[in-house]
């Protein structure tokens, strides 16, 4: 594996962006490096038990400003949920003003409140994977932006793929609009209109291909593709033999 590159760097280098498919592998990578632990959680319900997973922060922290540190903050950041005044709600539940509220309802409300990271004894943050469902995707553009900027600084990407795509889409839109503006002026016939329409998909195919890696980036990409082939061909069957699905590590 190339040194000094996180899993998110490698994914961005190959695709020019983060799709979200890389995140589960990146979470496991954080656990392997000791930055978090993954705990299986079984919750009992009225009908059947549900199994999920909880991510728990450890005292071992990655380098400040690194992709691993950014991913940890994205995982444990509560986003808009952080604005909930849990201490105030608990105080309200204990006040005489809600004495008519049934006890079981009070307990249900209190159990549903997120743990306040500012409370003593909860310095190590934790989050259920299910809690990330409707909010973590908002963090992916920021992770992508950091990964792209760092790859450009390390001279592995020639420029930001998003900036390149945006620039060529803008130019293409301007020229396309100009072409349709000129068609009635020069009284062009059907063949010319068809030619313009055929040009559009061809142009945007090449727009997608315009972002490029540097020479160093191409060498790292080839190294990653070689590693992928090695894992898929010589290592695949031994891994399946030694770690079958019922006995995975």
């Amino acid at each position: 594996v190339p040194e000094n590159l996180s899993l998110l760097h490698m994914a961005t280098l190959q695709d020019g962006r983060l799709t979200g498919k890389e995140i589960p592998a990146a979470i496991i990578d954080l656990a392997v490096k000791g930055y978090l632990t993954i705990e299986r959680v079984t919750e009992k319900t009225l009908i059947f038990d549900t199994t999920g997973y909880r991510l728990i922060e450890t005292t071992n922290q990655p380098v400040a400003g690194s992709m691993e540190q950014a991913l940890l903050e994205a995982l444990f950041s509560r986003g808009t949920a952080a604005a909930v005044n849990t201490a105030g709600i608990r105080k309200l539940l204990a006040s005489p003003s809600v004495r008519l509220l049934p006890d079981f309802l009070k307990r249900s409300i209190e159990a549903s409140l997120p743990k306040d990271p500012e409370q003593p004894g909860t310095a190590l943050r934790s989050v259920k994977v299910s809690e990330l469902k409707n909010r973590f995707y908002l963090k992916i553009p920021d992770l992508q932006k950091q990964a792209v900027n760092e790859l450009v600084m390390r001279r592995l990407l020639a420029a930001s793929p998003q900036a390149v795509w945006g620039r060529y889409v803008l130019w293409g839109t301007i020229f396309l609009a100009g072409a349709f503006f000129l068609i009635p002026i020069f009284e062009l016939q059907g063949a010319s209109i068809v030619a313009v329409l055929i040009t559009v998909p061809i142009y945007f195919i090449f727009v997608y291909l315009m972002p490029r890696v540097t020479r160093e980036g191409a060498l790292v990409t080839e190294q990653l593709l070689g590693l992928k082939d090695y894992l898929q061909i010589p290592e695949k069957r031994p891994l399946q033999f030694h770690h079958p699905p019922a006995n995975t590590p």
Side-chain angles (χ1 to χ4, degrees):
V1 178
E3 295 182 3
N4 302 321
L5 283 182
S6 72
L7 190 146
L8 297 184
H9 283 129
M10 298 178 207
T12 306
L13 183 63
Q14 292 186 87
D15 298 331
R17 61 193 179 96
L18 293 178
T19 62
K21 295 185 298 181
E22 312 86 357
I23 302 301
I27 291 174
I28 294 174
D29 186 51
L30 291 177
V32 169
K33 293 176 179 177
Y35 299 139
L36 59 79
T37 57
I38 304 174
E39 182 183 85
R40 188 193 300 267
V41 179
T42 301
E43 296 181 345
K44 295 184 179 295
T45 61
L46 293 174
I47 303 176
F48 50 83
D49 297 345
T50 59
T51 300
Y53 295 90
R54 180 182 294 276
L55 309 179
I56 305 171
E57 189 179 29
T58 67
T59 55
N60 185 22
Q61 292 293 311
V63 177
S66 64
M67 283 303 305
E68 287 88 353
Q69 197 263 345
L71 178 57
L72 274 177
E73 290 303 315
L75 289 170
F76 293 115
S77 171
R78 293 193 177 273
T80 55
V84 176
N85 184 0
T86 56
I89 295 175
R90 289 191 176 96
K91 185 177 179 180
L92 179 63
L93 289 173
S95 67
S97 59
V98 292
R99 61 182 180 275
L100 297 178
L101 208 62
D103 289 339
F104 79 90
L105 187 56
K106 292 181 184 178
R107 290 195 297 270
S108 299
I109 295 173
E110 188 167 356
S112 67
L113 293 174
K115 291 183 178 180
D116 190 351
E118 302 299 327
Q119 288 181 322
T122 57
L124 295 179
R125 298 170 292 180
S126 68
V127 64
K128 290 181 181 178
V129 172
S130 59
E131 294 174 356
L132 301 173
K133 181 178 180 181
N134 295 319
R135 61 183 174 86
F136 181 79
Y137 73 95
L138 297 171
K139 306 290 183 181
I140 293 179
D142 292 334
L143 293 172
Q144 174 180 281
K145 184 177 180 180
Q146 179 173 338
V148 166
N149 290 341
E150 291 181 7
L151 289 172
V152 172
M153 289 178 60
R154 298 182 190 188
R155 300 181 185 277
L156 298 178
L157 282 177
S160 166
Q162 289 70 34
V164 173
W165 287 327
R167 183 165 63 249
Y168 281 101
V169 166
L170 177 62
W171 291 355
T173 303
I174 292 174
F175 281 110
L176 181 62
F180 279 103
F181 179 75
L182 294 174
I183 285 174
I185 294 178
F186 291 100
E187 298 182 352
L188 300 177
Q189 301 301 314
S192 301
I193 298 175
V194 170
V196 171
L197 295 176
I198 292 175
T199 301
V200 173
I202 296 174
Y203 177 83
F204 281 101
I205 289 172
F206 278 91
V207 166
Y208 179 76
L209 299 173
M210 288 308 292
R212 64 184 182 88
V213 296
T214 62
R215 183 179 184 278
E216 293 78 7
L219 294 175
V220 173
T221 301
E222 290 175 359
Q223 183 178 350
L224 289 172
L225 293 174
L227 175 62
K228 179 181 178 181
D229 284 344
Y230 173 74
L231 292 174
Q232 287 182 336
I233 300 171
E235 288 293 318
K236 184 176 182 179
R237 292 190 181 278
L239 284 171
Q240 289 176 340
F241 177 80
H242 291 293
H243 305 290
N247 301 301
T248 62

